[in-house]
């Protein structure tokens, strides 16, 4: 039986963690996750989803603030003598001292088809760039950022209307399906790591709050992809009728729709379900918005409320 220490933090990591916990030939002997963080209106210290699942299974949990700077945490990993470290959205860069600990190596579950979209936001950037396909890659972690040799891949189509939240959930499940096979077959010598082609590498840098503002002078599809790709962070914001709102869901017009000659950013009408705003090359249908300090609502209902006022 292979022994594994699992390093992960958010919900994305749970399907991979569960896949290891339920496999008869794999024994999870310890867990590392990020420290408890303030959350919610009361800013109460809240454990990560991975910590909660680990405690349900009576596993030892360590929560380093910066693993590479904490010798006692590294010693804890070393003393367990694991066959593998497995990471899935752990949230910290591992030092060579940590990577040298496991017998077979450290396997990471990354939410892209490497070498595309190395970095912290691969799901978001696949949508922002309008890709029609993505996937997950299991890889051997090295000292670089998502540069290690690849082991297994699984791909999936991107629905043209799904957002980053929904796609992240699907990719998390996909990662869980290939992770056990990855470590078992690699330990048996049946998987040959494939180096990444550096000429094909692209990057998925961190998104910032300043990326949220929409520019209606861009094409409708570009704006639609930005709204989908930036859920839940940093979101997409704009002023409509001089009022600030978050925009959560849009749809593109029928390709055969008649063009409008309005200026970008103009409100040009409503439908039974949407508010219509002009972009560089045509209308975009706004379906869900969130005014400041209010719940998510139908954009049509919000527009009706403005008329009544």
């Amino acid at each position: 039986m292979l022994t594994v220490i699992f390093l992960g933090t958010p919900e994305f990591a749970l399907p991979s963690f569960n896949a290891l916990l339920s496999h008869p030939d794999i024994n999870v002997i310890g867990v590392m996750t990020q420290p408890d963080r303030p959350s919610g209106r009361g800013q109460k210290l809240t454990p990560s989803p991975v910590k909660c699942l680990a405690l349900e299974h009576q596993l030892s949990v360590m929560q380093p603030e910066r693993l590479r700077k904490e010798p006692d945490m590294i010693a804890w990993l070393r003393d367990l003598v694991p066959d593998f470290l497995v990471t899935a959205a752990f949230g910290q860069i591992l030092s060579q001292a940590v990577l040298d600990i496991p017998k077979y190596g450290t396997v990471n579950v990354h939410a892209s088809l490497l070498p595309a979209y190395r970095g912290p936001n691969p799901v978001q950037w696949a949508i922002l760039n309008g890709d029609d396909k993505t996937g997950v890659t299991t890889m051997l972690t090295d000292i670089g950022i998502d540069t290690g040799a690849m082991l297994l891949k699984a791909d999936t189509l991107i629905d043209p209307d799904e957002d980053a939240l929904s796609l992240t959930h699907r990719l998390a499940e996909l990662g869980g399906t290939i992770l056990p096979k990855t470590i078992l077959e690699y330990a048996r010598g049946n998987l040959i790591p494939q180096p990444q082609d550096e000429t094909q590498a692209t990057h998925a840098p961190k998104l910032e709050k300043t990326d949220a503002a929409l520019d209606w002078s861009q094409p409708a599809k570009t704006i639609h992809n930005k709204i989908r790709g930036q859920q839940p962070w940093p979101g997409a914001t704009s002023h409509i009728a001089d009022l600030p709102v978050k925009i959560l869901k849009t749809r593109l017009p029928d390709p055969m729709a008649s063009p409008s000659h309005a200026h970008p950013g103009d409100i040009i009408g409503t439908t039974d379900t949407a508010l219509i705003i002009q972009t560089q090359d045509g209308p975009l249908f706004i379906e869900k918005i969130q005014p400041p300090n209010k719940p998510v609502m139908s954009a049509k209902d919000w527009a009706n409320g403005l008329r009544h006022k």
Side-chain angles (χ1 to χ4, degrees), residues 34-306:
Q34 294 275 46
D36 297 359
R37 304 294 189 195
S39 179
R41 288 188 176 181
Q43 291 294 284
K44 180 181 177 182
L45 281 179
T46 304
S48 73
V50 164
K51 179 180 178 179
C52 292
L53 182 57
L55 294 178
E56 287 178 20
H57 288 265
Q58 290 82 50
L59 291 169
S60 297
V61 180
M62 290 297 204
Q63 297 177 267
E65 193 69 51
R66 294 187 66 192
L67 176 57
R68 61 193 300 129
K69 300 290 187 180
E70 299 181 43
D72 56 330
M73 294 286 184
I74 296 174
W76 180 81
L77 290 171
R78 188 178 294 113
D79 289 346
L80 290 175
V81 196
D83 291 318
F84 284 96
L85 300 184
V86 171
T87 61
F90 176 45
Q92 297 188 32
I93 297 173
L94 303 186
S95 65
Q96 191 62 52
V98 172
L99 297 177
D100 289 340
I101 289 171
K103 177 180 178 181
Y104 293 104
T106 298
V107 171
N108 181 51
V109 181
H110 185 74
S112 79
L113 298 173
L114 290 170
Y117 300 123
R118 297 171 176 173
N121 289 124
V123 180
Q124 290 86 342
W125 281 101
I127 294 177
L128 287 168
N129 289 334
D131 294 357
D132 57 11
K133 183 173 80 170
T134 187
V136 291
T137 306
T138 52
M139 53 172 282
L140 289 174
T141 302
D142 62 15
I143 204 65
I145 304 296
D146 301 322
T147 55
M150 302 173 294
L151 295 169
L152 286 180
K153 291 185 178 183
D155 60 40
T156 185
L157 296 177
I158 302 175
D159 186 281
D161 288 317
E162 79 177 316
D163 63 22
L165 276 170
S166 135
L167 182 56
T168 297
H169 177 76
R170 291 202 300 113
L171 293 176
E173 296 292 336
L174 200 57
T177 65
I178 65 171
L179 177 58
K181 181 180 179 181
T182 297
I183 64 175
L184 289 166
E185 293 301 304
Y186 181 65
R188 293 166 183 161
N190 297 331
L191 269 183
I192 306 301
Q194 300 297 314
Q196 296 186 39
D197 182 351
E198 291 295 325
T199 66
Q200 299 299 310
T202 57
H203 297 274
K206 182 180 178 182
L207 293 167
E208 304 291 348
K209 190 172 183 179
T210 51
D211 294 318
L214 294 176
D215 178 0
W216 296 103
S217 68
Q218 293 181 318
K221 188 172 184 180
T222 299
I223 298 171
H224 178 62
N225 290 343
K226 181 170 181 175
I227 291 164
R228 295 190 303 131
Q230 295 188 177
Q231 298 300 331
W233 174 262
T237 61
S238 184
H239 280 72
I240 302 177
D242 294 326
L243 297 173
V245 292
K246 285 184 179 180
I247 301 177
L248 288 90
K249 184 173 176 58
T250 55
R251 62 182 170 87
L252 294 168
D254 186 302
M256 301 303 292
S258 300
S260 166
H261 300 291
H263 296 290
D266 286 353
I267 297 174
I268 58 176
T270 60
T271 69
D272 290 342
T273 60
L275 178 67
I276 311 171
I277 296 184
Q278 179 69 14
T279 70
Q280 178 198 86
D281 60 353
L284 184 65
F285 291 77
I286 313 301
E287 297 189 329
K288 296 289 183 183
I289 67 169
Q290 184 175 21
N293 303 314
K294 292 186 178 180
V296 176
M297 63 189 302
S298 157
K300 173 67 180 301
D301 290 345
W302 178 79
N304 287 342
L306 288 184

Side-chain angles (χ1 to χ4, degrees), residues 6 14-31 50 53-54 56-57 59 180:
F6 187 78
L14 294 183
S16 292
F17 192 12
N18 268 315
L20 298 178
L21 290 169
S22 61
H23 201 285
D25 297 323
I26 296 169
N27 181 23
V28 179
I29 58 175
V31 174
V50 164
L53 182 57
E56 287 178 20
H57 288 265
L59 291 169

